[in-house]
Amino acid sequence: AVRKMIANLDEVNLYFIQKIATQIKKIGEMNPTSIHRYTIMLEMGADIADISGKLQAATRLTQQQMAVVYNTALQDNFTDPRFKAALAAHPLPREENQRLVQYTRNIAAQTSGALQNLSNTTAISVPYQQAIDKAILSVSTGMTDYKSAMRQTIKDIGWAGMQVQYASGYHRRLDTAVRQNVVDGVKQITQHGANAIGEALEYRAVEISAHMHSAPDHEPVQGRIFPKAEFDRMQAGLSCTDIDGNVYAGFKRPIAEWNCGHFALPFDSRYAKPRYDPAQLHEWAEKNNAGCDIDGKHYTTYQAQQLMRKMETRVRRYKDTANAARIAGDDTLRRECQMRINAVAAKYEQVAKLSGLPMRKQRMSVEGFKMVKV
């Protein structure tokens, strides 16, 4: 569902790149005497307004999709096996249900506002203006190799795409910023809803969710059950003890925060059995640490997975740049991008083979990209 939301923005990002690349190509076909800066600025203004309109439309669609995802996240709590039997015996008071619904609406409104703010602070005019200024300067000064002069500009546009500009001066790609906002909202609703139901049912322990290829700091505690007081110690970075008496060293990154994929869900042995078998957790940890060797360096499976995610991002950026090069008519840059895509893709397959991790080639797809022989 989140991928569908990001796809809305990817289309606008492609449109942004296409518009600038098309204008760069058009300027390159002019000569110093035929350049009319005023006309070009008018065209640029129309393009910026067009791109901004598409971005606002994509943001509205994303907000609608987000509301559906958030409501689903809330309802999933009520059907969770750890709560189902308890809720059948002790239904939540109507007021509590209403509070959870209102909380979900509040998070949706908060995220919606954040998305709107991101779309409003996305840098469209400045990178467009800078690219056009360089193009006009290159032609008006009579540079003989216009494509070479503009190559770095096209690279920058393709690689960076639409960027959110924060007040601090920090920049981030719009798709990355939106993904993080939406995912954070889902996590807040899931965790808060579970906590509220657990409190209403008087659960006194929490079970940490578990998955293969966990980050090393959270791997020891994942899948384990902790009394609430001990979980609070964990979240404070202190050593903690699970219900079986196993002691764990403290760690800085709290569960369910700082890009963590785990959840701490209320647990009560009266209504549910532990979800994770200690033997399975041990096996996952061993396989994770066994990992693989890549170019003479050892990687845990978690590290190999992170490496693959970075490669997927790099390929998408190279494809965006190749799109810009194709539209601008720079075949040299387009072939350069293709060679880099081929090299990263080959390395990606090697890492997948060595680590045993599945390839997610759909994460490398970019609309409008066309391969070229090199």
Side-chain angles (χ1 to χ4, degrees):
V2 175
R3 282 199 293 271
K4 288 183 180 179
M5 296 183 207
I6 302 304
N8 303 334
L9 300 170
D10 284 342
E11 290 181 11
V12 185
N13 183 66
L14 174 62
Y15 192 71
F16 168 76
I17 292 170
Q18 287 175 332
K19 282 291 187 181
I20 300 179
T22 299
Q23 195 64 259
I24 287 174
K25 182 181 181 182
K26 186 184 295 185
I27 294 171
E29 294 168 348
M30 299 177 182
N31 57 57
T33 57
S34 66
I35 282 187
H36 299 286
R37 186 182 181 90
Y38 178 72
T39 303
I40 294 171
M41 291 300 105
L42 285 177
E43 290 179 353
M44 187 187 79
D47 282 351
I48 291 172
D50 197 10
I51 295 166
S52 297
K54 287 186 179 296
L55 177 57
Q56 290 298 326
T59 301
R60 286 193 294 272
L61 179 58
T62 301
Q63 289 168 333
Q64 293 168 6
Q65 294 169 328
M66 177 199 69
V68 175
V69 170
Y70 283 6
N71 284 327
T72 302
L74 175 62
Q75 294 307 316
D76 284 347
N77 278 316
F78 290 94
T79 58
D80 189 298
R82 75 189 67 232
F83 298 137
K84 195 171 183 180
L87 287 172
H90 308 285
L92 283 189
R94 183 182 178 187
E95 307 80 54
E96 188 61 42
N97 272 304
Q98 290 176 334
R99 275 195 290 269
L100 287 175
V101 170
Q102 187 58 52
Y103 178 84
T104 302
R105 289 174 180 169
N106 291 344
I107 294 296
Q110 176 184 313
T111 308
S112 182
L115 295 184
Q116 191 61 51
N117 187 53
L118 290 175
S119 67
N120 291 337
T121 55
T122 297
I124 296 175
S125 60
V126 172
Y128 199 144
Q129 177 78 59
Q130 291 174 341
I132 298 308
D133 284 347
K134 289 179 183 178
I136 292 174
L137 180 63
S138 298
V139 172
S140 60
T141 54
M143 296 189 70
T144 56
D145 192 352
Y146 175 78
K147 287 182 181 177
S148 295
M150 294 305 300
R151 189 160 293 146
Q152 187 58 49
T153 298
I154 296 171
K155 281 183 180 179
D156 292 342
I157 292 167
W159 190 267
M162 293 191 300
Q163 295 271 315
V164 176
Q165 184 173 330
Y166 295 94
S168 63
Y170 176 72
H171 287 72
R172 195 178 193 185
R173 272 188 69 121
L174 179 61
D175 54 351
T176 302
V178 169
R179 180 184 291 106
Q180 193 59 57
N181 273 266
V182 173
V183 169
D184 283 349
V186 171
K187 289 169 67 175
Q188 287 182 59
I189 290 168
T190 300
Q191 189 66 70
H192 179 84
N195 289 345
I197 294 173
E199 287 178 11
L201 296 173
E202 299 184 345
Y203 283 21
R204 293 289 179 260
V206 296
E207 183 178 41
I208 312 297
S209 65
H211 56 77
M212 297 178 69
H213 322 136
S214 172
D217 55 346
H218 290 172
E219 189 168 56
V221 300
Q222 73 164 0
R224 309 294 180 174
I225 300 171
F226 294 84
K228 278 189 176 182
E230 292 300 309
F231 175 70
D232 291 341
R233 287 178 56 84
M234 179 193 302
Q235 294 296 80
L238 304 174
S239 61
C240 53
T241 306
D242 67 17
I243 60 172
D244 295 320
N246 300 309
V247 180
Y248 305 87
F251 45 82
K252 293 183 179 180
R253 192 170 60 119
I255 295 293
E257 298 180 28
W258 302 4
N259 204 32
C260 167
H262 291 102
F263 290 94
L265 301 174
F267 179 85
D268 191 314
S269 59
R270 294 174 298 171
Y271 301 109
K273 295 180 179 179
R275 181 168 292 186
Y276 307 98
D277 179 5
Q280 182 187 54
L281 295 171
H282 180 71
E283 181 184 347
W284 282 357
E286 283 194 330
K287 286 184 177 180
N288 191 14
N289 292 324
C292 62
D293 291 335
I294 303 171
D295 297 332
K297 180 181 177 181
H298 184 73
Y299 288 76
T300 64
T301 308
Y302 166 78
Q303 291 171 327
Q305 187 178 58
Q306 296 301 107
L307 183 60
M308 290 177 71
R309 298 293 85 83
K310 290 179 181 178
M311 289 180 179
E312 290 159 3
T313 299
R314 287 175 62 193
V315 168
R316 290 197 303 273
R317 302 296 179 263
Y318 285 133
K319 286 183 176 180
D320 277 339
T321 306
N323 274 339
R326 174 175 57 81
I327 294 166
D330 190 337
D331 292 334
T332 299
L333 177 56
R334 188 181 174 193
R335 287 193 295 272
E336 178 186 320
C337 290
Q338 187 66 62
M339 285 189 288
R340 292 181 181 276
I341 290 167
N342 294 349
V344 177
K347 193 68 178 179
Y348 181 81
E349 291 186 5
Q350 180 196 16
V351 174
K353 184 177 180 180
L354 291 172
S355 65
L357 291 167
M359 291 190 289
R360 305 285 176 82
K361 290 191 175 181
Q362 71 274 14
R363 294 182 177 179
M364 299 182 184
S365 64
V366 169
E367 185 179 349
F369 172 73
K370 298 177 181 178
M371 291 183 64
V372 62
K373 291 184 179 180
V374 295

